[in-house]
Amino acid sequence: MKSAPLQSGKDMPDDAATNLVVKRSSSKSDAVTMRDVANLSGFSPATVSIVLNNAPLARYIAPATKKKIEESARKLGYRPNAMARFLRSKRTNSVGVMFFDITDPFCTPVLRGIENALYQSSYVPIFADAHNQRTRFERYLEMLLEHHVEALIVVANWLFVDIQLLADLSKRNITAATIGWEVPGDSVSSVMVDNEAGGRLALEHLYHLGHRKIAVIRGPKMLIDSGPRWKGIQKFAHSVGLEIDPSLVVQLPDELEANSGFEGGYRFTEELLERKKKFTAVLAFDDLTAFGAIRALTKAGVKVPEQCSVVGFDDVPLSALAAPSLTTVRQPLAEMGRTAVSLLTRLLERQRFETLHVELATRLVVRESTAPARKS
C-alpha cells in the first residue's frame, strides 16, 4: 500500500504532525576522535595525541609513525576539538578586532592588513562593529573577553572618542593595541602615523605650486590627529613666512556620523564661496572632507584643479578613483593593520604584559586635484 504524499502549508491536516517521522542528524558523539585515529593507525591513543597536538614529546617520535598517524587522521576527517584544546592549553589562538564603523573607508584597508597578518600567524580574527555606539562597543568588548580572545585590536577611525575602559585590560592580562589612537598611560600598545609631518607635507606641496591664499579645514577638536596636523601646517607656514588667513580657517564639529566629514567639507567650502573669500587651494583634514570641498566647488562652477586645488589626507581607496583623482597624504593603512598584529604576536610569544608604540611615516601622493596656482 502506497503512502499518501505529504501535504504542506494550510492544507495539512491538524493531526498530520503525529504521523510524521523525524530523522535526526548525526549527533556530536559521531565525531571522529583520537581513539578512532589510534584504531586505524595501530598506535596508542597517547602516541596519537602527542602527534596530533604537536606536543613537545613529538620530536622523539619516528617520522614514519607521525606520517601514518597524520594520514589516518586525514582519511577519517579528524578535526581537533577547539574547546578541549583550550581547556588543556588555556589558549584560543583568537584575536578580537573592534572597529567603530565598517562604512568608514578608513577601516577597510586597515582590516585587510589585520586579516592577512593574522592568517599568516595562524590566529583567528573575531570582528565586531560598534556602529559608533559606546554601549555597543562595551557589550562587544565583554563578549570578546567571554570568548577568551588572547589579544584585542581596536581600529580607531576619525570618530573614535572615548575608550578609557580599555585601560583596564591590563588587569585582565589582555594584550591590546589601538590603531590611529594612543590611549593615555602604559596599558595599551598603539600604531600611529606622524600626523605633524603629514600636515607639513600637504601645505608644502601647495606652497611649492605657488598657492598663497589657502583655505584650511581643520579636524574636530576631540580627535587626536587634528592637533598634530594643524601644528605641522603652522610650522611650515612659519618657516617660509607664509601667513595663513584666519578667515580662511574653519574647523569640523565633533560629530558621530560617518559622512560628517564630507558634509562639513561641503558646507564650509560653500560658506567661503558665499562670503566671496578669495582662495586658490583647499587643504582638507581628510579625504572625505576633501571630497565634500570638491563637490561644493564643482557645484559653484569652480574648476578643480584649474581654478582651485584640493589636498586630502589618508589616501582611502576612493581617492584614486574620484574625478579628479585626489592628491592626498597617504597613511599606510594596510601596513598599520599588519604592524598592530606584529606587535601583538610578538608580545604573546614573550608571554608577558607590556606595551609597544610604533609611529609610521606618511607620504604625499600627487594626483589630479592639484595644479600650479594661476598667476592672475
Side-chain angles (χ1 to χ4, degrees):
M1 178 177 176
K2 293 183 178 180
S3 59
L6 180 66
Q7 299 181 46
S8 61
K10 61 183 180 181
D11 297 324
M12 184 180 290
D14 293 339
D15 62 346
T18 60
N19 298 322
L20 295 178
V21 176
V22 179
K23 294 187 70 177
R24 300 186 181 277
S25 59
S26 58
S27 65
K28 291 182 180 178
S29 61
D30 295 333
V32 177
T33 66
M34 285 192 184
R35 188 168 293 279
D36 297 324
V37 177
N39 290 336
L40 180 62
S41 64
F43 296 100
S44 70
T47 302
V48 170
S49 176
I50 291 170
V51 171
L52 297 183
N53 286 316
N54 196 25
L57 290 175
R59 64 179 181 272
Y60 300 115
I61 294 177
T65 301
K66 288 183 182 178
K67 183 178 180 181
K68 188 168 184 180
I69 290 173
E70 289 166 354
E71 287 177 348
S72 298
R74 254 193 316 272
K75 184 175 181 179
L76 292 172
Y78 171 79
R79 293 289 182 273
N81 186 315
M83 180 56 69
R85 185 169 53 194
F86 166 69
L87 292 174
R88 286 193 304 270
S89 66
K90 302 302 180 185
R91 298 199 62 180
T92 61
N93 283 90
S94 62
V95 173
V97 181
M98 299 189 67
F99 41 94
F100 274 69
D101 190 352
I102 190 60
T103 65
D104 190 321
F106 173 93
C107 285
T108 307
V110 176
L111 293 177
R112 175 55 63 89
I114 291 172
E115 191 274 334
N116 279 336
L118 287 175
Y119 176 77
Q120 293 169 12
S121 302
S122 298
Y123 281 89
V124 175
I126 303 178
F127 295 104
D129 182 359
H131 294 204
N132 293 307
Q133 299 171 16
R134 180 181 174 85
T135 54
R136 195 181 185 105
F137 175 86
E138 292 173 346
R139 177 64 183 130
Y140 265 137
L141 179 58
E142 289 300 324
M143 291 169 68
L144 289 171
L145 295 178
E146 289 168 4
H147 279 74
H148 301 284
V149 293
E150 293 190 38
L152 183 71
I153 298 175
V154 178
V155 181
N157 62 12
W158 81 279
L159 303 172
F160 196 79
V161 188
D162 180 17
I163 55 167
Q164 291 304 313
L165 54 116
L166 284 181
D168 295 331
L169 290 177
S170 58
K171 299 175 184 176
R172 308 195 193 193
N173 292 322
I174 297 293
T175 303
T178 54
I179 297 175
W181 190 273
E182 191 169 344
V183 178
D186 296 320
S187 58
V188 181
S189 297
S190 65
V191 178
M192 300 279 292
V193 297
D194 190 343
N195 282 288
E196 183 177 324
R200 179 186 178 92
L201 284 173
L203 183 58
E204 184 178 22
H205 173 64
L206 292 174
Y207 181 82
H208 288 319
L209 288 174
H211 295 281
R212 298 298 181 265
K213 287 290 184 179
I214 302 170
V216 180
I217 305 178
R218 297 177 57 184
K221 289 181 180 179
M222 68 180 179
L223 183 61
I224 196 172
D225 295 341
S226 300
R229 290 183 196 177
W230 176 237
K231 186 176 181 181
I233 291 169
Q234 288 181 306
K235 277 189 173 182
F236 177 78
H238 179 74
S239 69
V240 296
L242 173 64
E243 183 179 350
I244 299 176
D245 186 348
S247 67
L248 293 178
V249 179
V250 292
Q251 188 158 36
L252 294 171
D254 294 339
E255 297 281 352
L256 290 178
E257 292 295 336
N259 293 323
S260 59
F262 176 87
E263 293 166 358
Y266 178 87
R267 184 172 67 254
F268 290 135
T269 305
E270 188 176 52
E271 288 176 1
L272 291 173
L273 292 169
E274 289 174 351
R275 286 156 45 198
K276 307 298 182 182
K277 290 293 182 181
K278 300 295 183 181
F279 56 94
T280 63
V282 176
L283 195 165
F285 170 68
D286 63 6
D287 292 344
L288 286 182
T289 307
F291 294 149
I294 291 174
R295 174 70 65 84
L297 291 166
T298 303
K299 183 181 177 182
V302 179
K303 295 181 179 179
V304 178
E306 293 85 353
Q307 293 172 282
C308 185
S309 291
V310 179
V311 175
F313 201 111
D314 285 344
D315 196 22
V316 298
L318 289 175
S319 299
L321 304 177
S325 57
L326 184 65
T327 294
T328 185
V329 176
R330 174 178 292 170
Q331 295 197 62
L333 301 176
E335 185 182 349
M336 292 165 73
R338 292 192 296 268
T339 302
V341 172
S342 177
L343 289 183
L344 294 185
T345 52
R346 195 185 317 169
L347 292 173
L348 289 172
E349 288 170 2
R350 293 179 184 176
Q351 293 187 343
R352 66 170 182 258
F353 188 88
E354 60 182 307
T355 57
L356 300 171
H357 301 281
V358 175
E359 187 178 77
L360 302 176
T362 53
R363 181 168 71 86
L364 180 72
V365 179
V366 180
R367 296 195 181 102
E368 298 169 345
S369 67
T370 54
R374 282 185 172 185
K375 292 183 179 180
S376 59

